[in-house]
Amino acid sequence: MKGIMIQGTASDVGKSLVVTALCRILANEGVKVAPFKSQNMSNYSHIMIDGMEMSRAQRIQAEAARICPTVWMNPILLKPRSNQTSEVVFLGKVIETFSGREYREQFYEKGIEIIKESLNQLESEYEMVVIEGAGSPVELNLSDREIVNMKVAELADVPVVLVADIDRGGVFASIIGTLELLKPDERQRVRGIIINKFRGDLTLFAEGITLLEEKTGIPVLGVLPFIENHMIEVEDSLSSEIEMTVEVGGSDEKYEKLAAEMKRHLKWDQLKEIIHHCGNK
């Protein structure tokens, strides 16, 4: 499969926004591209014309890619309910409410199969897929049955770019720590690093970029600015940003502005090279 997976060092580092921008940048270059996220945990969903339900984040990313959204782009949606349970939306339809333990023990194999089916469906319809991870890829107590990060990258056979949020502090520890905790074969998939939410004079961080590349052996593909009032709805249920309330649809200009701003701060040719020369499944 041709594509790229955007993973993060933590929740709310900007994965959804980066995927949205990449979908528009690639669409502007004439690529028939689709977004994908295997599983979301969020109460922010979108009901389509046919009554099917999916995450609003992938609905927005599809809009940025100039394509119609389908449940194949978000086959599993977990909607948190009371008493540590979640309502499971499976291929657009509510099927059951599980506790975290019940879901982990009973749903893994079924989840893997529908992720494979979804990826195959998208590969048959699109030239490229931009995949979004969830949370961190090194939640060690969950890694044996995870279906949102490195397992998905393995199934799709795509390279990974790791996104970190510098605004919250600890960016060196979050990046290097994440890479150190990955298994060797997982670490080999990480082909680039993106620093997100940078404020101030970028020249003051030049030495930081050099240090990261020296310590990890992985190129920094961009340092993205903190973008105020981007008007793109964030996905993560942990986020407190006001953009959560922005409805889908409306002006296309917000995607163009986001794409232009991010592309300006990315080593775009280098990122495209990674996409086109990795993941030839």
Side-chain angles (χ1 to χ4, degrees), residues 207-244:
E207 184 180 0
I209 294 173
T210 301
L211 288 170
L212 275 173
E213 292 181 334
E214 289 177 348
K215 286 187 176 293
T216 66
I218 299 171
V220 174
L221 299 174
V223 180
L224 307 179
F226 193 104
I227 302 175
E228 303 276 4
N229 301 317
H230 52 67
M231 301 304 291
I232 308 294
E233 185 174 355
V234 295
E235 182 275 328
D236 200 292
S237 59
L238 298 179
S239 177
S240 60
E241 294 187 48
I242 60 172
E243 284 81 9
M244 270 192 167

Side-chain angles (χ1 to χ4, degrees), residues 32-35 46 48-49 54 58-73 122 125-126:
K32 191 178 181 183
V33 60
H46 174 75
M48 293 181 286
I49 295 175
M54 67 184 292
Q58 277 63 64
R59 164 66 180 88
I60 285 169
Q61 290 163 359
E63 188 172 73
R66 299 194 181 95
I67 58 174
C68 293
T70 71
V71 293
W72 300 114
M73 298 169 189
L122 293 177
E125 295 181 20
Y126 299 94

Side-chain angles (χ1 to χ4, degrees), residues 70-82:
T70 71
V71 293
W72 300 114
M73 298 169 189
N74 172 220
I76 306 168
L77 174 62
L78 305 181
K79 303 180 75 174
R81 296 295 182 251
S82 60

Side-chain angles (χ1 to χ4, degrees), residues 4-205:
I4 190 79
M5 184 166 192
I6 304 301
Q7 296 186 13
T9 56
S11 295
D12 198 26
V13 298
K15 296 183 291 290
S16 295
L17 203 65
V18 171
V19 170
T20 302
L22 292 180
C23 283
R24 175 49 60 98
I25 293 169
L26 288 163
N28 282 347
E29 295 193 354
V31 178
K32 191 178 181 183
V33 60
F36 178 74
K37 187 167 185 177
S38 59
Q39 173 184 286
N40 276 326
M41 177 172 278
S42 176
N43 281 316
Y44 299 93
S45 63
H46 174 75
I47 307 298
M48 293 181 286
I49 295 175
D50 59 6
M52 296 295 200
E53 187 174 7
M54 67 184 292
S55 166
R56 282 196 283 182
Q58 277 63 64
R59 164 66 180 88
I60 285 169
Q61 290 163 359
E63 188 172 73
R66 299 194 181 95
I67 58 174
C68 293
T70 71
V71 293
W72 300 114
M73 298 169 189
N74 172 220
I76 306 168
L77 174 62
L78 305 181
K79 303 180 75 174
R81 296 295 182 251
S82 60
N83 301 319
Q84 299 181 344
T85 62
S86 292
E87 181 181 81
V88 179
V89 181
F90 189 74
L91 283 181
K93 297 180 179 179
V94 176
I95 59 168
E96 198 168 345
T97 297
F98 288 104
S99 69
R101 181 175 295 277
E102 289 170 339
Y103 180 78
R104 177 174 164 79
E105 292 176 351
Q106 300 176 28
F107 204 79
Y108 178 75
E109 288 78 14
K110 189 173 183 179
I112 289 292
E113 288 307 310
I114 199 58
I115 291 166
K116 289 179 181 177
E117 187 177 352
S118 298
L119 289 170
N120 287 337
Q121 184 69 29
L122 293 177
E123 185 177 23
S124 71
E125 295 181 20
Y126 299 94
E127 298 173 306
M128 192 175 294
V129 179
V130 182
I131 303 172
E132 180 182 340
S136 160
V138 288
E139 303 294 350
L140 301 183
N141 58 314
L142 303 175
S143 61
D144 62 322
R145 294 176 76 82
E146 69 94 2
I147 56 172
V148 291
N149 286 306
M150 283 299 178
K151 185 61 181 179
V152 177
E154 175 192 330
L155 293 173
D157 193 17
V158 294
V160 170
V161 171
L162 186 66
V163 177
D165 174 2
I166 196 170
D167 190 53
R168 66 177 63 187
V171 73
F172 295 97
S174 65
I175 292 170
I176 296 170
T178 297
L179 293 169
E180 286 296 316
L181 289 172
L182 290 172
K183 298 173 185 176
D185 60 317
E186 295 172 339
R187 195 182 189 284
Q188 288 179 1
R189 283 199 181 274
V190 182
R191 302 301 178 91
I193 296 165
I194 291 176
I195 309 294
N196 194 26
K197 304 184 186 180
F198 183 84
R199 301 176 190 259
D201 184 351
L202 184 56
T203 62
L204 298 176
F205 193 64

